[in-house]
């Protein structure tokens, strides 16, 4: 009987992954092929500023939810998930506004460029819209509405490239930024329409009890993910500050190309895996360990094929298309490939940090990544060689991800043996 249930669970798991994969694949095809044309249109400098903008959003969205969006997915019933969803809808604008007031005061005090202040203001708008949309996505995950999540990927990619192309006519530097904000605004309108009945008057006493029961999320996961957000998003900001927008643009675009299949895999697998792993931990029959090994093995195989393709045939196509633009793209792609394949082995199953309550390990690892970023930028500025920064970042961050993967596989293996 157990075997039949397990087979049914695995089948349902991979069916949902395929649903997510379909939407994410279409979205990534749109982003990549139209994105390459937009990269030629806008050039390195515009992508440098766009990388700064995206990095600000990447850090802000982590703080904006205080990591309590995990409570939506782990809720015991639909009413509880609605409570958390409604509570976060109320608190997100407050937290994001306070965060950006602090950042704005800081930027004014150090007299940053007018363009950077404009980026910061649009970073506030982009962070607000993106965080709201992430809140909706977690509700869809709880309800296992993976078809809607799949459609999300397509809509946001389509809206973004259309608006970014339109805005190029009037804004050759910040058109990418304006296009991003417009796309997420339309997506939020769509989400509000679908979830209008899920917004309820939340019970603050129940929320307080929930926060007390999940103190580890704020105590360990929040600082851990803030540090992780800094580690993963700080480099475009630092490169822009120390090496200028052109170098920042090449780094950001190289990373974007390589991270396309990583995002494809993570977006397809992570939310489905998060939900299923919560249920499989209750069975204690080794199902989670076996499923995790399959997911990791498939991730590495897919990423290896892509990286081989992009560093051989792909780079010749890109160099031919860009002609004299985007110099050193080939070198950046080769160096960053190690980091990308290492990240792809763990990122789709990173929810194990929450599921196995290993938030302290997550905090330690993310602190390591943050230190690696600082060392990498220091080495680069010391010799004024951006490639030294990229080499240190890729090598040591990649090794860290592989060590973390090995740790969690051993944890699951121990549970499998004990079971």
């Amino acid at each position: 009987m157990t075997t039949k249930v397990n087979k049914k669970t695995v089948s349902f798991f991979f069916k949902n992954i395929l649903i997510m994969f379909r939407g994410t694949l279409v979205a990534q095809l749109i982003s990549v092929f139209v994105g390459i044309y937009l990269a030629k249109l806008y050039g390195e400098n515009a992508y440098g500023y766009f990388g700064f903008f995206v990095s600000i959003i990447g850090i802000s969205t982590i703080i904006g939810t205080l990591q309590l969006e995990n409570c939506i997915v782990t809720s015991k019933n639909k009413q509880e998930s609605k409570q958390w969803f409604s509570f976060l809808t109320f608190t997100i604008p407050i937290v994001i506004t306070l965060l950006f007031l602090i950042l704005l005061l800081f930027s004014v005090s150090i007299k940053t460029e007018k363009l950077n202040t404009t980026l910061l203001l649009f970073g506030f708008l982009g962070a607000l819209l993106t965080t709201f949309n992430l809140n909706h996505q977690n509700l869809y995950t709880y309800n296992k509405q993976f078809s809607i999540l799949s459609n999300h990927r397509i809509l946001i990619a389509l809206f973004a490239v259309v608006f970014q192309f339109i805005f190029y006519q009037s804004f050759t530097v910040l058109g990418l930024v304006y296009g991003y904000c417009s796309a997420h605004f339309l997506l939020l309108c769509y989400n509000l329409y679908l979830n209008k009945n899920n917004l309820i008057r939340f019970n603050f006493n129940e929320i307080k009890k929930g926060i007390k029961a999940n103190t580890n999320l704020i105590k360990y996961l929040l600082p851990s993910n803030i540090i992780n957000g800094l580690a993963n998003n700080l480099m475009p900001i630092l490169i822009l500050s120390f090496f200028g927008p052109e170098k920042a643009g090449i780094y950001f675009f190289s990373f974007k190309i390589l991270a396309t299949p990583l995002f494809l895999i993570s977006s397809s697998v992570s939310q489905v895996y998060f939900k299923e792993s919560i249920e499989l931990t209750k069975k204690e029959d080794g199902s989670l360990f076996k499923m995790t090994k399959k997911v990791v093995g498939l991730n590495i195989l897919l990423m290896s094929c892509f990286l081989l393709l992009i560093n051989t045939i792909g780079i010749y196509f890109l160099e031919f298309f860009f002609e004299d633009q985007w110099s050193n793209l080939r070198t950046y792609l080769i160096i960053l490939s190690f980091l990308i394949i290492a990240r792809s082995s763990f990122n789709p199953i990173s929810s194990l940090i929450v599921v196995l309550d290993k938030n302290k390990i997550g905090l330690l690892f993310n602190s390591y990544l943050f230190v690696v970023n600082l060392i990498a930028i220091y080495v680069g500025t010391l010799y004024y060689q951006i490639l030294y920064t990229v080499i240190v970042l890729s090598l040591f961050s990649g090794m860290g991800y592989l060590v973390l993967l090995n740790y969690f596989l051993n944890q699951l293996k121990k549970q499998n043996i004990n079971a």
Side-chain angles (χ1 to χ4, degrees), residues 378-389:
Y378 172 75
V379 171
T381 52
L382 185 65
Y383 297 98
Y384 206 74
Q385 279 287 342
I386 180 66
L387 288 180
Y388 291 173
T389 292

Side-chain angles (χ1 to χ4, degrees), residues 87-100:
F87 171 70
L88 286 170
T89 301
F90 172 74
T91 58
I92 283 169
I94 298 171
V95 176
I96 294 288
T97 302
L98 288 173
L99 173 64
F100 273 86

Side-chain angles (χ1 to χ4, degrees), residues 60-62 64-65 92 96 126-136:
S60 304
T61 50
I62 294 168
T65 61
I92 283 169
I96 294 288
L128 193 60
L129 294 170
T130 305
T131 312
F132 272 135
N133 284 326
L134 287 173
N135 191 39
H136 285 269

